[in-house]
Amino acid sequence: MSAEKLKQHKIIFVVGGPGSGKGTQCEKIVQKYGYTHLSTGDLLRAEVSSGSERGKKLQAIMEKGELVPLDTVLDMLRDAMVAKADVSKGFLIDGYPREVKQGEEFEKKIAPPTLLLYVDAGKDTMVKRLLKRGETSGRVDDNEETIKKRLETYYKATEPVIAFYQSRGIVRQLNAEGSVEEVFQQVCTHLDCL
């Protein structure tokens, strides 16, 4: 089956800083709307833990805190989407695009997005949430120094992305400071219109 079929699906980019709570929101969207949640981070981590050649290369890149090559990420995303195309009502692409070029390439190789959900939490909130997660997650990238680096990278990269899609009128900004339920109510308002 080709990627052609994916053009009929709703595709929602979910953008938000590390610790903004976008993963949690994605889970709730999956439960309520039957979308398939694809996190580039999860796809990459799965590849790394598979111990494949590609996984080993990716691990080295991620440990340095660098970004994985665009083609690799797109291939993994497309494979995952094609695999689920028959059973999914739509796709949540979580943590993507990190830069405008990624969004453009995604459209070339896969399809244009229906909406971009911008899960917007303040910097302090994100640092707090990530440090708390680090206590239990055992994830190598949940320590304060790495967190601050990740946030800087995130802000620098994300602003142009939001601006790019705002000009198309598909950005829906969520205030992610509230409780999970409060944020999800905002999400539903936008998704129910699709």
Side-chain angles (χ1 to χ4, degrees), residues 154-171:
Y154 161 73
Y155 280 116
K156 258 210 299 264
T158 307
E159 279 163 15
V161 171
I162 301 295
F164 177 71
Y165 288 104
Q166 244 156 1
S167 67
R168 292 195 194 177
I170 64 167
V171 173

Side-chain angles (χ1 to χ4, degrees), residues 6 38 54 74-84 110:
L6 297 172
L38 296 173
R54 181 157 80 173
L74 275 178
D75 290 343
M76 291 167 80
L77 268 176
R78 191 178 52 200
D79 294 348
M81 289 171 80
V82 168
K84 296 276 188 182
I110 303 175

Side-chain angles (χ1 to χ4, degrees), residues 94-120:
D94 174 354
Y96 192 93
R98 295 272 168 98
E99 47 192 52
V100 172
K101 183 168 170 266
Q102 291 183 342
E104 291 174 332
E105 288 297 313
F106 183 97
E107 289 188 36
K108 267 189 222 144
K109 279 197 170 181
I110 303 175
T114 316
L115 268 193
L116 184 149
L117 283 180
Y118 179 28
V119 186
D120 189 20

Side-chain angles (χ1 to χ4, degrees), residues 178-194:
S179 71
V180 170
E181 282 311 322
E182 285 163 352
V183 179
F184 189 57
Q185 285 192 308
Q186 300 173 59
V187 171
C188 296
T189 314
H190 299 309
L191 293 193
D192 289 346
C193 300
L194 291 182

Side-chain angles (χ1 to χ4, degrees), residues 48-90:
V48 167
S49 61
S50 78
S52 69
E53 262 324 293
R54 181 157 80 173
K56 286 180 188 131
K57 283 187 191 129
L58 292 174
Q59 184 167 15
I61 295 169
M62 281 156 53
E63 276 171 0
K64 288 187 208 133
E66 291 167 10
L67 290 177
V68 172
L70 179 52
D71 282 342
T72 308
V73 177
L74 275 178
D75 290 343
M76 291 167 80
L77 268 176
R78 191 178 52 200
D79 294 348
M81 289 171 80
V82 168
K84 296 276 188 182
D86 289 335
V87 292
S88 185
K89 297 194 168 136

